[in-house]
């Protein structure tokens, strides 16, 4: 089992109702982690319902869903950014 | 190459004066600043900017490094606020110092395009009708693509 | 729409602060300033800028009017010095205030391109080797053409 | 005979040795005025030797060599501008 720090921002955070949580997982990739999270509860299902409109960062760098997850990684989910 | 991510307000003119040390090899200084805009028909009372503290500065530095290398900038400044902002407030600014004006302009536009959709900020507008997250726009992604030529 | 043709020095940051009145319909503020540059290998000791007093302000106003109309600028500023300038001095600046950043950037570049070869200023460099008039460059004319599309 | 205020800037001014002068002329166009001026002296011939590198303003507006000249006009000759 890996320990992963998962973070949520903007409407992902609002839908899940958490800004972050420590997750124990067997997921090898971000995509597998998403499958696990969606299976948990309605609010996760809702937050992850449209993967095309989600962005992922692993250890503070933008990545895609097929990125491998190591033990101790920080994985963040958020909508497309609107800075500037 | 100063990068500031801050809740505090700033005055672009003051930052521009501080930024430009008298380098005699610099010929061109460009600045951009983004302002909270409110429409008469659909007034915005407040803009809340959320960011990702562990990642924001790192993401901005990567964008700055690329601009500096690509246009051989003599200096470069990025300031971006988070938290609660109000109409007329300055959201962020960039400044670029280069030998020639083409480089200074291009680098400032590059920085803006990437800060817009590659730095972890999210804007929420508070209006009389309620709150709404600002949607990213298709043309923001398209703007990124023009730099990959 | 302020236009200043002056011998006196100015500080771009101060001018930028003065320029930007808090208009809540403005979302984007761009500034450019040109600086007297000196090369290590061929140092410029002084730059003398001659102009045509009866025509200069009129020519600049025509350029400003076109930029304001074309990009629906909320405000626009041009300051241009003449007389004797030294390395590190600010030669001129433009500032543009618009609803969106695309317009503010484009208008600032347009103003620069036209001020470069359509406003009656002539630069003379004073170096250890003597005096020389700065030649206009072919690409400055080409820069004008890109706006006629 | 028309009276025309003629102005010279930058190296045109330096070559002719004057920043301006009142000229009495029968020229109908700027081009005809240039022919008259060139015929005067060596320094005028030198200043106007390369017409392609000269710019003309009539009454403070950029014009070309075929522009008509009225009595009392202000006609300025100068090299390509180098502002900004």
């Amino acid at each position: 089992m890996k320990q992963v720090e998962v973070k949520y921002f903007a409407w992902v955070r609002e839908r899940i109702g958490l800004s972050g949580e420590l997750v124990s997982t067997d997921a090898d990739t971000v995509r597998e982690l998403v499958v696990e999270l969606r299976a948990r509860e309605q609010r996760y299902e809702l937050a992850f319902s449209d993967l095309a409109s989600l962005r992922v960062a692993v250890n503070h760098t933008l990545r895609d869903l097929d990125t491998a997850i190591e033990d101790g990684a920080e994985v963040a989910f958020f909508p497309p950014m609107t800075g500037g | 190459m100063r990068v500031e991510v801050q809740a505090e307000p700033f005055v672009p003119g003051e930052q521009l004066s501080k930024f430009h040390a008298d380098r005699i090899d610099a010929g061109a200084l460009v600045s951009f600043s983004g302002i909270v805009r409110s429409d008469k028909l659909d007034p915005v009372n407040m803009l809340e900017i959320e960011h990702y503290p562990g990642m924001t500065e790192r993401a901005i530095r990567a964008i700055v490094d690329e601009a500096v290398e690509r246009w051989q900038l003599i200096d470069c400044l990025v300031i971006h606020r988070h938290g609660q902002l109000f109409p007329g407030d300055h959201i962020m600014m960039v400044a670029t110092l280069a030998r020639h004006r083409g480089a200074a302009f291009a680098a400032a536009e590059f920085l803006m395009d990437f800060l817009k959709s590659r730095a972890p900020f999210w804007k929420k507008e508070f209006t009389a009708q309620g709150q709404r997250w600002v949607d990213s726009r298709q043309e923001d992604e398209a703007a990124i693509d023009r730099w990959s030529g």
Side-chain angles (χ1 to χ4, degrees), chain A residues 28-70:
Chain A
D28 287 324
T29 66
V30 175
R31 196 182 297 277
E32 290 174 23
L33 176 63
V34 169
V35 171
E36 282 185 18
L37 291 169
R38 283 180 77 155
R40 280 182 165 185
E41 281 177 56
Q42 180 74 34
R43 58 197 169 109
Y44 286 93
E45 172 61 30
L46 186 68
F48 290 107
S49 59
D50 178 15
L51 289 182
S53 68
L54 273 192
R55 298 289 178 271
V56 178
V58 177
N59 296 329
H60 306 129
T61 303
L62 280 174
R63 298 288 185 199
D64 62 24
L65 291 168
D66 297 315
T67 305
I69 296 177
E70 314 266 302

Side-chain angles (χ1 to χ4, degrees), chain A residues 10-11 79-84, chain B residues 34-36 46-51 80-81 83 85 91-92 112 115-116 120-126 132-136 140:
Chain A
W11 54 252
M81 293 156 275
T82 53
Chain B
I35 304 159
V36 180
M46 201 240 291
L47 182 71
E48 198 163 66
I49 302 180
E50 182 172 337
H51 79 122
H80 204 303
R81 290 185 65 188
L85 286 85
I91 302 167
M92 48 80 60
M112 286 310 306
L115 288 170
K116 206 105 195 150
F121 292 99
W122 300 274
K123 294 193 185 100
K124 191 186 216 176
E125 291 175 342
F126 291 72
R132 63 186 176 221
W133 290 99
V134 174
D135 270 333
S136 68
D140 291 337

Side-chain angles (χ1 to χ4, degrees), chain A residues 82-84, chain B residues 10-17 19 28-37 75-81 89-97 104-116 123 137 140 146:
Chain A
T82 53
Chain B
F10 66 93
V11 179
E14 286 173 14
Q15 297 296 334
L16 194 66
S17 294
F19 170 69
L29 171 62
V30 167
S31 79
F32 174 89
S33 82
I35 304 159
V36 180
R37 197 159 47 81
D75 203 355
C76 180
L77 166 71
V78 175
I79 303 174
H80 204 303
R81 290 185 65 188
D89 280 1
H90 291 277
I91 302 167
M92 48 80 60
M93 79 176 281
V94 304
T96 56
L97 188 64
F105 268 118
E109 293 209 57
F110 172 93
L111 287 168
M112 286 310 306
D113 284 347
F114 279 80
L115 288 170
K116 206 105 195 150
K123 294 193 185 100
R137 299 178 313 163
D140 291 337
R146 69 174 162 145

